[in-house]
Amino acid sequence: MERIKALDGIRAVAIAMVVGYHADKEVVPAGLWGVVLFFVLSGYLITRLLCIERDRHGEIELKHFYLKRATRLYPALYVVCLILLGVGLIGWSNATPTLGLYGNYARIAGVDLGLLTHTWFLSVIAHFYLIWPLVIAAVRPRHRIRVIGLLAVVAIVWRVVAIGVLSPGWVYNATDTNAAALLAGCFLAVIPQREWRFAGWSIPLLLGLIFVPYFGEESPAFTWGHFIALALSVAAIQYALTRPSWLETRVMVWLGKVSYGLYLWHYVFLRSGLFSIWVALPLSVAAAAASWYLLEAPLQRWRKRFEREVLDSDTTEADAGMVSS
């Protein structure tokens, strides 16, 4: 699947929401809705990629999928952890749950992740990466809409139930409760694309509502606001797919490309106590750019070369087998 520039623009919107919240949650009280947008987008993209591969080749190369996701997720995360450990800003008690990709459940258990607190999100994403290819591989293409739609409904209902019976920490951090947003994106990926009449209002509404204290972390509406964020996120991605416009501008696309590094680094600079917000934000962008150009992009190029070499090798072996037979 070719890179869709407008979805980079959606990443830019999501990271701006999250950074705004961490920079000043009194000004941007519901900025964590950007995490919901990231979840929905991840569900959409991964499902599209897996379905395209399954439809073209009849199967999913799990080892290639996991290699791709590991090289995208882990190296930049390792660098952040190693640097923070090296300068003494965190200890192994903070880093181990993050690197072990169980940081979300560690938070639920009361573990303080320190400057890696925000990496709970990556644990949820990693769990999704691990399980979802197996689901897509098992579901027949003609049953996708029905099965994924049912799973999405079950996940949403479960989050509603969990709000009433589980702790707020579990509802916010756990993989099972965040499956609602991920599966909403998955469902969007398998239904026919068409322009939604009012989708153009979704992004302005998202960006407007994050400034409303009623949906802030201290409000009783915070947990239920997740569903508003989920619905608007689905509409925002659909809008990006059908009428991308300003989302494809150079600045938005670039910010979307470096959004992973920016997610990793912004919290470190903002919450370390070493910098003012006006110094921390430029440093975060600089660190994100360095992460992209020096680590993430080169690794992506290496992975693509490796995959081509493996594919060429497999093709050569298959041809040799046909000749020998």
Side-chain angles (χ1 to χ4, degrees):
M1 186 174 78
E2 293 184 2
R3 193 179 191 101
I4 302 172
K5 290 183 177 180
L7 295 185
D8 280 321
I10 290 291
R11 287 190 185 93
V13 172
I15 193 63
M17 293 165 68
V18 174
V19 172
Y21 173 82
H22 287 143
D24 193 334
K25 62 181 181 181
E26 291 186 3
V27 175
V28 192
L32 288 178
W33 282 7
V35 172
V36 181
L37 182 53
F38 271 128
F39 280 143
V40 176
L41 180 59
S42 296
Y44 173 83
L45 286 171
I46 294 304
T47 303
R48 285 291 297 156
L49 287 168
L50 290 171
C51 288
I52 288 172
E53 181 178 356
R54 173 80 190 279
D55 293 344
R56 285 179 179 173
H57 306 294
E59 61 180 2
I60 295 171
E61 284 287 347
L62 292 176
K63 61 181 180 180
H64 291 166
F65 175 84
Y66 291 133
L67 173 66
K68 184 183 295 185
R69 303 276 69 83
T71 55
R72 186 70 187 100
L73 192 68
Y74 255 121
L77 181 60
Y78 269 128
V79 168
V80 172
C81 290
L82 289 174
I83 289 175
L84 293 180
L85 285 166
V87 298
L89 289 176
I90 63 169
W92 282 108
S93 62
N94 308 123
T96 301
T98 293
L99 295 175
L101 297 176
Y102 61 91
N104 59 330
Y105 289 106
R107 285 193 74 195
I108 294 170
V111 176
D112 181 9
L113 300 182
L115 292 180
L116 297 175
T117 295
H118 62 308
T119 60
W120 70 270
F121 163 83
L122 302 179
S123 299
V124 177
I125 291 292
H127 301 160
F128 172 65
Y129 288 165
L130 184 65
I131 297 170
W132 195 241
L134 305 177
V135 176
I136 297 298
V139 176
R140 294 183 178 181
R142 68 174 181 269
H143 297 318
R144 278 178 192 152
I145 293 178
R146 186 182 312 161
V147 172
I148 296 175
L150 177 61
L151 289 173
V153 170
V154 169
I156 291 170
V157 170
W158 167 239
R159 186 176 176 97
V160 172
V161 172
I163 290 172
V165 300
L166 298 175
S167 68
W170 186 285
V171 174
Y172 184 76
N173 292 283
T175 301
D176 54 278
T177 46
N178 283 295
L182 287 162
L183 286 166
C186 297
F187 184 63
L188 180 63
V190 296
I191 62 175
Q193 283 188 20
R194 62 181 182 180
E195 187 172 336
W196 295 359
R197 187 174 178 184
F198 299 108
W201 289 98
S202 56
I203 298 176
L205 274 173
L206 265 176
L207 294 177
L209 291 175
I210 63 173
F211 295 98
V212 178
Y214 181 73
F215 295 112
E217 188 176 7
E218 305 302 324
S219 167
F222 176 74
T223 303
W224 294 102
H226 178 97
F227 298 104
I228 298 174
L230 189 157
L232 291 175
S233 295
V234 170
I237 293 169
Q238 183 64 18
Y239 169 75
L241 294 169
T242 54
R243 297 186 64 182
S245 59
W246 61 278
L247 292 169
E248 292 186 334
T249 58
R250 186 172 298 180
V251 172
M252 296 295 288
V253 170
W254 183 84
L255 190 58
K257 285 182 178 180
V258 304
S259 61
Y260 181 51
L262 186 53
Y263 186 87
L264 290 175
W265 282 107
H266 83 280
Y267 192 86
V268 172
F269 287 113
L270 286 169
R271 296 299 173 89
S272 65
L274 300 175
F275 311 99
S276 70
I277 183 175
W278 305 112
V279 175
L281 290 176
L283 284 176
S284 300
V285 174
S291 178
W292 172 256
Y293 290 111
L294 300 179
L295 180 63
E296 297 169 58
L299 276 172
Q300 287 190 36
R301 290 194 293 269
W302 169 83
R303 176 187 48 78
K304 289 176 182 177
R305 275 200 312 272
F306 175 78
E307 288 179 342
R308 283 197 298 268
E309 290 172 2
V310 170
L311 181 61
D312 291 343
S313 174
D314 290 345
T315 303
T316 301
E317 290 178 4
D319 291 344
M322 291 175 66
V323 170
S324 63
S325 63

